[in-house]
Amino acid sequence: MTDESEPAVRAAVDGEMALLDPEVRASPARVLELLDPEFTEIGASGRRWDVESILTVMSGGSVSPESPVEVSEMSGVVLAPGIVHLTYFADNQGRRAWRSSLWRLTETGWRMYFHQGTSTS
């Protein structure tokens, strides 16, 4: 991880990993604590997502406790005060993608503002 000593990067990584946790994903209240109200995502499929559509997918058990998302090559950097960019590789039951997230510090803590996935073979 780049800038590992940065508390901001650690907070973003912790939030990212929480959003990949099946127990967190099953709790709309917990997910809402981690997503910015203005959150958007461009998924690996090319589909655009917002908070409401992500909550629907997450509540459907898109990640199971028996087959957690495998994360590798996590890297983070502070782009500006209160803004962290993370990149990593994720394998979700054979669906492999490079992932990129922007996290921003709000009055209520670190929240994911933007996320993008790019499929890989």
Side-chain angles (χ1 to χ4, degrees):
M1 177 191 311
T2 308
D3 292 342
E4 189 169 5
S5 63
E6 287 284 345
V9 172
R10 174 55 41 208
V13 169
D14 290 347
E16 191 83 36
M17 297 306 293
L19 284 170
L20 294 171
D21 183 307
E23 288 184 29
V24 172
R25 294 171 79 90
S27 169
R30 184 67 179 117
V31 171
L32 285 173
E33 290 174 0
L34 294 167
L35 295 182
D36 193 275
E38 297 177 26
F39 169 82
T40 59
E41 176 177 339
I42 300 170
S45 66
R47 180 175 173 186
R48 287 186 58 96
W49 303 85
D50 59 14
V51 173
E52 186 177 314
S53 59
I54 284 293
L55 284 175
T56 300
V57 169
M58 286 186 175
S59 66
S62 59
V63 174
S64 74
E66 296 79 31
S67 300
V69 175
E70 295 178 27
V71 173
S72 61
E73 301 183 51
M74 179 73 77
S75 178
V77 64
V78 175
L79 297 178
I83 304 290
V84 171
H85 180 228
L86 298 179
T87 58
Y88 61 97
F89 184 79
D91 186 330
N92 184 7
Q93 300 178 20
R95 293 188 326 248
R96 299 161 28 121
W98 284 105
R99 301 280 176 178
S100 176
S101 301
L102 289 175
W103 287 78
R104 72 177 175 180
L105 185 57
T106 69
E107 292 177 2
T108 59
W110 286 95
R111 292 177 147 201
M112 183 186 286
Y113 176 75
F114 177 78
H115 186 80
Q116 183 165 357
T118 303
S119 292
T120 185
S121 54

